[in-house]
Amino acid sequence: MHSTSSPSGPKGPHPSADEATRALEDISRHRGQVHSSATNSRWVYVLFGIVFFALFAAPDFLGAAAAGWSSAAFGALAVGYVALLNTRSGSALLGQPVRPRRQEISGRFRSYALLALLAVVLVGFAVQLLQPDWHLGVPYWRTSVGAVSGAALALFGPRCQRALLSVAVRGSGRVGKSAVDGPR
């Protein structure tokens, strides 16, 4: 016996061209919503921008001794942020209910990200090694760098994170299997 209803609906086993078009449009529209859900809340970027400014400016206002503890504070901030992102309650606190699946991140993007991270670390070590020999006549240069980097993080952080996510996820322009995990 043959049943008249099918899993795709009463009209038959295959959707019409209009139904398929609407479904594909819905998938692409929802992809943008998922990408925006995979980014931190705006308040996280604003808070980190303020903290970056304060930690950069601390040696200018509190003296050379603040340079030592501000570097340790940057490290503690980074470790705490990563620890929060890797827990359900922490990611919910940061306003990031979903995240990309690791297997969906492009290998090429991972390589470039690792090289960029290595370059930043090496530049940081070089700056620390060369800093005593610098004779910059610019007062409060750390405060200026902190203000610019903190403001850039607060203003452009979400947009930058969404752009990096769209580049990192394999097939982000294609329709098909979702590259984002559900709620953590």
Side-chain angles (χ1 to χ4, degrees):
M1 296 288 213
H2 185 267
S3 174
T4 58
S5 66
S6 68
S8 65
K11 294 182 181 178
H14 300 290
S16 69
D18 291 337
E19 290 173 333
T21 302
R22 277 193 307 272
L24 292 175
E25 288 171 354
D26 287 343
I27 289 171
S28 62
R29 186 177 65 245
H30 291 305
R31 183 179 304 276
Q33 292 172 345
V34 168
H35 282 190
S36 65
S37 295
T39 58
N40 293 325
S41 294
R42 169 67 79 180
W43 71 265
V44 173
Y45 293 105
V46 172
L47 178 67
F48 280 178
I50 292 168
V51 170
F52 276 18
F53 169 70
L55 291 176
F56 271 108
D60 286 342
F61 293 103
L62 302 176
W69 63 260
S70 65
S71 295
F74 271 121
L77 181 68
V79 169
Y81 177 70
V82 170
L84 282 174
L85 279 180
N86 285 314
T87 62
R88 288 182 187 200
S89 59
S91 61
L93 175 71
L94 296 173
Q96 187 174 349
V98 295
R99 68 175 174 185
R101 292 183 188 150
R102 291 188 179 161
Q103 65 268 23
E104 293 295 323
I105 302 296
S106 156
R108 178 181 288 181
F109 181 81
R110 287 183 202 185
S111 300
Y112 287 146
L114 186 60
L115 287 174
L117 183 62
L118 181 63
V120 167
V121 168
L122 290 176
V123 167
F125 281 130
V127 166
Q128 287 298 322
L129 292 174
L130 298 175
Q131 186 178 2
D133 295 333
W134 290 356
H135 298 290
L136 296 175
V138 180
Y140 300 104
W141 68 271
R142 288 183 185 111
T143 303
S144 301
V145 169
V148 170
S149 63
L153 180 62
L155 293 174
F156 303 116
R159 189 177 309 157
C160 182
Q161 188 177 10
R162 280 191 297 275
L164 284 173
L165 180 65
S166 68
V167 170
V169 173
R170 290 185 184 141
S172 62
R174 294 183 301 195
V175 175
K177 181 178 165 186
S178 175
V180 180
D181 286 333
R184 293 185 199 170

